[in-house]
Amino acid sequence: MKKRYKIALSIAGSDPSGGAGLQADLKTFSACGCYGATAVVAVVDENTQGVTGVFPVSPSFVRGQIKSVLDDLGADAVKIGMLHSAEMVRTVKDTLAEYDVRNIVLDPVMVATSGDPLLEADAIDTLKNVLVPFARVITPNIPEAEILLGEKILSQDALPDCARRLSQGGKVSVLLKAGHLSDAELVDVFYNAETDNVMLLPSRRLDTPNTHGTGCTLSSAVAAFLARGFALDDAVRNAKEYIGKAIEAGAGYEIGHGHGPVHHFFNFWE
């Protein structure tokens, strides 16, 4: 019998500087033990300093890419990143619904690390109402959670309740990231909608500008561990440990003149 890789598919935009988007997803899949495949939804002109432009791929062509991968390779997990428009959101959801893919991790990307918008304003409601309840896990940061909830999040203490409310009545599990708060200790909150439990994931705040693509990397790590068969809590816990070590290992490097990347392959080389 031939062996088979665990396969993770990323549906997202590209990043020519290699720290975020599809490029970060592929690096993360590889580092976390999966074979990575991609469907390109947009070609993004960006680097560590910001986003200059976004060139969307047509939804019909994205649909074709997804079908080509799933018809031939299949996928043990799917990570969804930047989708840019309402039509793209609906296309991705409708295409995935044709297949029995259960481990769908949605990173509801709306704004780049640099502050540049990555999602059209009219697509937010479609993302919230169409794709969020279709996913198994979503991984919003504080600004994204505020947009989805329609309110400000002012303290660490509010995160467990916010995570529960983001689950839309237990339809989707929520990994709510605390990095945009100012506390010395970061405590991400994971609400497991499948068990109705909250898990706290503390970590030390690192003083580094190299945070480009951290959201992409974390969500891809969750997808990779789910693809490998880890239980949901364990997949999230392992992904959190991975991103923490990747940020710490990347802090000593200087790549570009803005927000540099994390070190995806800290386990393999320095």
Side-chain angles (χ1 to χ4, degrees):
M1 290 287 293
K2 291 290 185 80
K3 294 187 289 185
R4 181 186 178 277
Y5 298 110
K6 294 299 184 181
I7 297 172
L9 166 64
S10 171
I11 304 171
S14 69
D15 171 15
S17 70
L22 293 169
Q23 287 85 342
D25 296 345
L26 285 175
K27 292 173 183 178
T28 305
F29 293 158
S30 298
C32 295
C34 286
Y35 179 92
T38 63
V40 184
V41 304
V43 179
V44 182
D45 180 3
E46 71 172 314
N47 56 25
T48 65
Q49 299 180 83
V51 177
T52 303
V54 177
F55 185 82
V57 176
S58 72
S60 62
F61 200 78
V62 172
R63 171 178 168 81
Q65 293 178 75
I66 296 170
K67 288 180 67 65
S68 289
V69 172
L70 295 182
D71 286 341
D72 186 26
L73 280 65
D76 299 289
V78 174
K79 176 266 172 82
I80 304 172
M82 185 194 82
L83 295 183
H84 188 61
S85 71
E87 184 182 5
M88 188 69 76
V89 171
R90 286 190 292 267
T91 296
V92 168
K93 186 267 182 182
D94 290 345
T95 305
L96 290 175
E98 299 174 17
Y99 297 85
D100 185 26
V101 181
R102 299 179 182 178
N103 293 318
I104 297 176
V105 179
L106 170 63
D107 183 13
V109 178
M110 300 178 191
V111 179
T113 301
S114 59
D116 297 287
L118 294 173
L119 183 69
E120 295 175 355
D122 65 350
I124 294 173
D125 283 345
T126 307
L127 182 77
K128 179 178 178 179
N129 298 322
V130 173
L131 199 52
V132 167
F134 182 69
R136 187 178 185 191
V137 184
I138 62 171
T139 62
N141 59 28
I142 296 294
E144 291 158 353
E146 290 176 336
I147 292 172
L148 292 172
L149 289 171
E151 64 185 63
K152 281 290 186 182
I153 300 173
L154 301 177
S155 71
Q156 180 73 54
D157 293 341
L159 295 191
D161 178 64
C162 290
R164 285 180 180 274
R165 288 190 288 127
L166 285 165
S167 76
Q168 298 191 2
K171 293 177 183 176
V172 58
S173 296
V174 180
L175 175 55
L176 180 51
K177 300 172 290 187
H180 285 77
L181 297 176
S182 58
D183 304 68
E185 183 182 46
L186 302 177
V187 184
D188 294 345
V189 171
F190 179 59
Y191 172 62
N192 186 331
E194 297 169 19
T195 61
D196 192 32
N197 286 327
V198 171
M199 178 169 62
L200 302 181
L201 299 160
S203 60
R204 179 172 57 92
R205 184 183 293 277
L206 295 172
D207 183 18
T208 173
N210 295 340
T211 56
H212 183 54
T214 50
C216 305
T217 299
L218 177 60
S219 56
S220 294
V222 174
F225 288 116
L226 288 176
R228 290 176 55 191
F230 283 76
L232 187 51
D233 282 354
D234 292 336
V236 169
R237 191 179 292 110
N238 287 348
K240 171 70 175 180
E241 181 181 2
Y242 169 76
I243 187 61
K245 290 181 177 179
I247 294 172
E248 184 174 6
Y253 287 84
E254 183 177 351
I255 299 179
H257 298 88
H259 294 282
V262 304
H263 190 341
H264 293 91
F265 296 110
F266 62 86
N267 268 333
F268 305 96
W269 51 268
E270 284 294 329

